[in-house]
Amino acid sequence: AFVQMEHTQKLSSIGRLAAGVAHEINNPLAIINEKAGLASDLMELAKDFPERDRFRALVDAILRSVERCRSITHRLLGFSRRMDVNIEQLDVNDVLKETMSFPEQEALHRSITTSVSLDQAMPRIASDRGQLQQVFLNILNNAFAAVPDGGSVTLATWLRDPDTVGVSIKDNGKGMSDEVLRHIFEPFFTTKKTSGTGLGMFITYGIIRRLGGDIAVQSKEGAGTTVSVFLPVKAAPTATLGS
Ligand code: ADP
């Protein structure tokens, strides 16, 4: 099955709502964090309290959950805040190679084969290095999470037409059902029970849209997934304006 960016309007209003909620939740979270910390400090003084260890374990559990909430709200707010778009002329192959060095250790450790087929005759594109790294890293992380040890991840770049550069990240991992594929760009949609936030593809989608690009995901359950990103050679008007 195949999914492309759609329901653009709907997703951006979901994004705004999510960011609004994240912002509102930040204050009470900070209070919970502070009070739990104080309660823990107070327990330091109550040396004779028989349930001290149990109390501490409870407070620690609260603090850990608060931390998880905070990492979610920070990611959401970081994404929705008017990101400074920093457009420069860059080589997509370089950005991709830089990004690939991040999960190198994991690749070695899990015997994952990464192969690259980069078009060397690629024009430079007007885009944002940091944001493209974020996009490629999000997609690579998902690919790594999907493949078994010994699996493979293949990267390719090519010139789709004189105005558009294509980048694909293909894995031979577990793939997705049509149902999962349908929801992949929605915020908080995840199938990773404890480790996922469901924000990776949502953020990826937002960045690519801002840069004037497009993303398509093709997947087959049990066979693997190919994520293709298309980027304009010339900067998109929205990216230039930084909106
Ligand atoms: P997260 O990784 O935190 O779950 P994402 O938004 O990055 O959030 O991905 C959402 C869901 O899409 C994942 O939980 C997973 O089910 C599915 N997914 C994304 N990329 C892949 C992939 N390469 N292979 C299989 N499933 C994927």
Side-chain angles (χ1 to χ4, degrees), residues 63-81:
L63 288 171
R64 272 197 305 277
S65 287
V66 168
E67 203 36 55
R68 180 160 162 78
C69 291
R70 278 160 64 125
S71 81
I72 294 172
T73 57
H74 283 173
R75 279 193 79 177
L76 266 178
L77 289 170
F79 162 68
S80 67
R81 207 183 295 133

Side-chain angles (χ1 to χ4, degrees), residues 114-127:
T114 49
S115 43
V116 284
S117 148
L118 307 180
D119 184 341
Q120 295 306 330
M122 199 77 97
R124 288 179 165 263
I125 66 168
S127 204

Side-chain angles (χ1 to χ4, degrees), residues 75 138-139 141-147 169 171 173-176 180 183-186 188-192 195-204 217 219 224-227:
R75 279 193 79 177
N138 286 348
I139 299 170
N141 279 337
N142 282 337
F144 272 70
V147 295
I169 296 172
D171 68 68
K174 60 181 189 269
M176 282 171 266
V180 169
H183 298 291
I184 187 170
F185 294 122
E186 288 172 15
F188 304 117
F189 175 79
T190 181
T191 59
K192 299 167 188 165
S195 59
T197 59
L199 290 174
M201 289 307 281
F202 171 65
I203 288 170
T204 296
V217 184
S219 191
T225 302
T226 303
V227 179

